[in-house]
Amino acid sequence: MTNSDLQSRTNRSHATRELILVTAERLFAEYGVAAVSSRQVCEAAGQGNNTAVGYHFGTKTDLVRAIINRHAVRIDELREQMVAGIDDRADIRAWVGCLVHSSTDHLAELGNPTWYARFKAQLLTDPALRETAADITLSSPTALKILDELADVLSDLPLPVRLERGDMTSRLVVQMCADFERGLAAGTPMPRQNWPDLATGLVDAIVGIWQAPVSP
């Protein structure tokens, strides 16, 4: 086999992987991860070989991880850019903004329609997949820096409260982005007209959550 043949085969393999990833993301977003089989992904991607998912990715969990990683690279680049623009006087709003805008800016870059926000929302219903997504996020040094800085500016809050509000923050971002993505795709009138506007509202609400009084 010549080098040209090898390159052609590599290109076809890459194109097939990309097609499977895009198709799986859409199907998982629309129907849920548990409801969609690897065979259905192959069929929807136009693959005559129903074992294509296993060949290219392994298990369904491996496929989910690949979808997350496909987006995580760009989201982390955006985080790094935002963190680089923050000085030592940054407050809670600045760090919350890094978390929110890195996700919404990425979704805005993808155009319309997108499915990643709804895909992420589907992961919340499965504890194992939710943990997989969290592990990928926490593997980013930039994400860890943002979380550490938030913990520092919120050090007056008791640890259980910080953990609870951190969970609230994560769920609010994921679910609100999913709802907005769904409305944007359907052309449904919404209070916010675009991703930057949604991010502004989310940052306002999340800062309010973190700064809310703590009952005895």
Side-chain angles (χ1 to χ4, degrees), residues 83 86-96 98-99 141-155 162:
V83 168
I86 291 180
D87 59 31
D88 294 337
R89 296 168 296 175
D91 58 8
I92 178 175
R93 179 174 293 274
W95 296 113
V96 168
C98 288
L99 288 177
T142 310
L144 288 176
K145 174 177 175 55
I146 294 170
L147 294 174
D148 286 345
E149 294 290 349
L150 269 175
D152 187 53
V153 298
L154 296 165
S155 58
R162 291 209 307 270

Side-chain angles (χ1 to χ4, degrees), residues 10 28 85 106-107 138 165:
T10 299
F28 291 159
H106 174 59
L107 289 163
L138 294 177
R165 294 185 183 182

Side-chain angles (χ1 to χ4, degrees), residues 164-188:
E164 180 182 54
R165 294 185 183 182
D167 191 44
M168 290 178 186
T169 296
S170 176
R171 291 173 183 272
L172 184 61
V173 172
V174 170
Q175 196 59 58
M176 289 299 294
C177 285
D179 289 345
F180 186 78
E181 181 184 71
R182 185 179 297 108
L184 201 61
T188 304

Side-chain angles (χ1 to χ4, degrees), residues 5-147:
D5 291 335
L6 286 172
Q7 185 62 48
S8 178
R9 175 177 289 185
T10 299
N11 290 342
R12 287 197 303 272
S13 177
H14 177 77
T16 299
R17 282 177 56 90
E18 189 69 11
L19 179 59
I20 290 173
L21 282 173
V22 170
T23 303
E25 181 180 317
R26 174 176 58 82
L27 293 177
F28 291 159
E30 292 177 339
Y31 305 108
V33 178
V36 178
S37 68
S38 295
R39 177 184 293 271
Q40 288 172 314
V41 172
C42 291
E43 291 174 352
Q47 300 301 303
N49 184 354
N50 289 326
T51 64
V53 168
Y55 174 79
H56 286 283
F57 298 98
T59 67
K60 187 190 286 189
T61 299
D62 293 326
L63 177 58
V64 167
R65 187 178 290 111
I67 294 170
I68 298 170
N69 281 323
R70 180 171 175 267
H71 293 274
V73 173
R74 178 55 181 159
I75 291 172
D76 208 43
E77 288 175 352
L78 292 169
R79 283 197 203 105
E80 290 176 0
Q81 293 170 13
M82 293 172 189
V83 168
I86 291 180
D87 59 31
D88 294 337
R89 296 168 296 175
D91 58 8
I92 178 175
R93 179 174 293 274
W95 296 113
V96 168
C98 288
L99 288 177
V100 174
H101 283 280
S102 55
S103 292
T104 56
D105 285 3
H106 174 59
L107 289 163
E109 289 177 342
L110 296 176
N112 181 44
T114 58
W115 289 275
Y116 188 58
R118 284 169 283 177
F119 164 78
K120 288 289 294 294
Q122 294 284 7
L123 301 186
L124 290 179
T125 65
D126 186 308
L129 294 179
R130 185 170 66 243
E131 185 173 343
T132 296
D135 288 345
I136 291 174
T137 298
L138 294 177
S139 69
S140 160
T142 310
L144 288 176
K145 174 177 175 55
I146 294 170
L147 294 174

